[in-house]
Amino acid sequence: MSNKRIKDEHTLARHCASGLFADPIERTELDSKAFAPTDSNPSISVNWLEFYDGDHASQLKFVRTDIANGRTVRRTHKLALLNVGEVKALGMSSDQDLSVAHDPLPDNQSHSLICGIPIRDKILHQRLADAASKYLVEAVE
Amino acid sequence: MNLDAKAREAIVAQRFTSGVPLSQLDDEESEPGHVIVSATSSDTTIYGTSSTMLETYGWMLQPSTMTVLGEPRHSLAYHFTPPTEIGSDLAKWSGATDWVHENLDHSHASEPLSLQDLQIHLQNFLSLYESKLEADVYGRFSRLLPILLDPDEYDEEDKLPDPTSFRSMLDFLVEHPYLDVPRLNVSRQGHFKLSWRKSENELTTLEYRPDRMIDWLVFAPPARGSRSPQRAAGESAVSEILNILKVQNALAWMRREQ
């Protein structure tokens, strides 16, 4: 278990299947549902890059492995990268105190959660999706 | 099935074959949305009035409201293809007797629809709109549906796509053909959602709820004298949404280029 803490300058990766894109064919822009929680899933699953040591590329490599351990990842999928501080700032702009918590799973040690996004705040969902759409990388190396 | 129902069904079947449209039958016989089954030893035909044909077909996608001969027959929801004939006033489905009877006799009311069932039915339903939708919209949706409803991709935590939402969305696009080709998605609640985006601060999303309401979201550029983009969200009746879009200055850029 790592003693590291998630800091504002750290990076989160959100695994995005085709259905999470505004256009599932073009896959260049996320749909707001990528950051829309539900009653049964009140938090948004992400992966914390800095959980792993090394440079950005190697962190991304470990995170890709973590994600692939827990679900099916296709070549059409992407990872949307988000800065923790930006997530919180977007929350503040909607008067929401968002937090990011490390939530390691047995086969997915960097798994984390964005907590506090209101189910009905569609503007915030869209703004988070827009922010994450700026940094899309391949989900499969 | 009681004798009255059988008699009525025979009358309707006879009038259908003799060319009398169902809309000319009296109210009792042409109950809106009513589906009538006519079965013989060799084949089975199902009739529905065309004024409610789409409604009827929509019902087939919703077992909870499916009505056949006045009784819910949920199992029918699983097995119907698009009408074999669509007249100006009538829709007609035909099939082998055994095939339909089997489904009538073995209701699977407790079985939920699967995503695969819905995918097939929604694609069939979309095909009914081919001549009504703009060709580019129809083409795009035809390509997108299999991706959006791919059982291997669909998040199992999400609610299944809602056919009533789908129909409401398609009807909206038929009524407003001047709108540019939208993007298509399904919300976590299973509601179909259209979106248009021109720039970072010009975005409109319309999410069609099964109760004929729309959850809308509009991003607009900063107002004069302001540096902050305008962002608004709300809900509105389908009939009111254009007024909302006009007020939000979104409708102008959502139109097709001339």
Side-chain angles (χ1 to χ4, degrees):
Chain A
M1 180 73 186
S2 166
N3 290 321
K4 292 177 183 174
R5 292 173 61 90
I6 299 178
K7 298 178 182 175
D8 283 359
E9 61 268 30
H10 286 179
T11 304
L12 306 172
R14 171 88 168 123
H15 170 238
C16 299
S18 302
L20 291 187
F21 287 88
D23 185 317
I25 294 175
E26 293 177 1
R27 298 188 301 278
T28 55
E29 188 184 317
L30 289 176
D31 186 89
S32 61
K33 81 192 245 190
F35 291 91
T38 61
D39 288 327
S40 57
N41 258 336
S43 304
I44 300 297
S45 280
V46 289
N47 285 75
W48 173 28
L49 264 69
E50 284 76 9
F51 173 78
Y52 293 108
D53 293 327
D55 59 15
H56 181 77
S58 60
Q59 290 170 336
L60 208 47
K61 189 172 184 177
F62 283 119
V63 160
R64 284 186 176 113
T65 305
D66 275 356
I67 292 172
N69 284 339
R71 60 184 70 193
T72 302
V73 180
R74 293 181 172 178
R75 293 209 165 270
T76 52
H77 297 179
K78 294 197 175 179
L79 300 183
L81 304 183
L82 263 173
N83 173 267
V84 173
E86 188 175 14
V87 169
K88 292 179 179 176
L90 287 170
M92 292 297 284
S93 68
S94 286
D95 296 324
Q96 301 298 330
D97 187 15
L98 303 190
S99 60
V100 181
H102 188 208
D103 178 45
L105 302 174
D107 291 333
N108 185 355
Q109 284 293 304
S110 61
H111 182 257
S112 302
L113 296 168
I114 301 177
C115 308
I117 302 174
I119 292 175
R120 294 287 299 169
D121 193 340
K122 292 178 181 294
I123 293 178
L124 180 56
H125 305 166
Q126 185 65 51
R127 295 191 71 193
L128 286 166
D130 286 349
S133 298
K134 292 174 182 168
Y135 304 101
L136 295 172
V137 297
E138 302 304 317
V140 178
E141 212 170 4
Chain B
M1 182 192 320
N2 59 39
L3 284 178
D4 287 345
K6 269 194 169 181
R8 187 172 65 181
E9 161 194 329
I11 292 169
V12 173
Q14 184 183 12
R15 294 199 185 190
F16 176 79
T17 51
S18 61
V20 178
L22 284 181
S23 60
Q24 290 176 19
L25 298 178
D26 61 42
D27 288 343
E28 186 182 351
E29 290 168 340
S30 58
E31 182 182 339
H34 210 96
V35 177
I36 295 168
V37 176
S38 168
T40 68
S41 59
S42 59
D43 62 47
T44 298
T45 305
I46 296 174
Y47 305 92
T49 52
S50 80
S51 58
T52 57
M53 184 267 287
L54 295 179
E55 189 86 20
T56 301
Y57 194 63
W59 282 10
M60 291 186 175
L61 301 168
Q62 289 193 91
S64 61
T65 53
M66 176 66 185
T67 302
V68 174
L69 299 172
E71 293 175 7
R73 289 290 191 182
H74 295 204
S75 62
L76 285 174
Y78 298 83
H79 300 283
F80 280 90
T81 55
T84 47
E85 291 178 32
I86 306 176
S88 60
D89 199 34
L90 199 66
K92 178 182 174 185
W93 288 262
S94 297
T97 300
D98 291 345
W99 177 77
V100 176
H101 277 186
E102 180 185 348
N103 297 322
L104 285 171
D105 293 340
H106 300 91
S107 175
H108 304 293
S110 60
E111 287 184 16
L113 280 172
S114 72
L115 183 61
Q116 283 172 317
D117 290 330
L118 277 169
Q119 185 185 23
I120 294 167
H121 286 300
L122 291 178
Q123 283 177 315
N124 287 337
F125 191 70
L126 176 62
S127 69
L128 296 174
Y129 278 76
E130 182 172 8
S131 61
K132 297 179 180 179
L133 290 169
E134 296 296 305
D136 48 6
V137 173
Y138 179 79
R140 188 180 189 112
F141 285 10
S142 298
R143 289 197 306 277
L144 282 173
L145 262 189
I147 299 172
L148 284 172
L149 306 184
D150 180 348
D152 292 334
E153 291 267 330
Y154 204 83
D155 192 331
E156 58 187 25
E157 301 278 346
D158 290 353
K159 291 188 177 172
L160 288 174
D162 186 291
T164 306
S165 164
F166 189 61
R167 186 176 65 227
S168 178
M169 176 201 74
L170 292 176
D171 287 341
F172 177 85
L173 289 172
V174 169
E175 284 179 34
H176 306 291
Y178 52 84
L179 293 174
D180 203 357
V181 184
R183 302 178 298 188
L184 175 67
N185 213 311
V186 186
S187 73
R188 298 220 175 269
Q189 289 73 35
H191 305 157
F192 283 85
K193 182 165 76 172
L194 301 177
S195 67
W196 292 261
R197 182 153 223 162
K198 186 181 176 187
S199 67
E200 183 176 0
N201 290 326
E202 287 171 299
L203 168 74
T204 299
T205 71
L206 303 178
E207 187 177 323
Y208 295 80
R209 292 179 0 205
D211 59 1
R212 308 281 180 184
M213 297 289 285
I214 290 180
D215 287 327
W216 54 267
L217 171 78
V218 175
F219 284 6
R224 211 168 188 178
S226 169
R227 288 194 304 174
S228 302
Q230 304 174 83
R231 303 183 184 96
E235 62 175 21
S236 164
V238 174
S239 56
E240 293 296 319
I241 193 63
L242 284 192
N243 291 332
I244 301 279
L245 298 177
K246 282 177 189 167
V247 169
Q248 301 289 342
N249 293 322
L251 196 55
W253 65 259
M254 290 167 61
R255 291 176 182 272
R256 290 171 180 273
E257 290 182 7
Q258 298 298 318

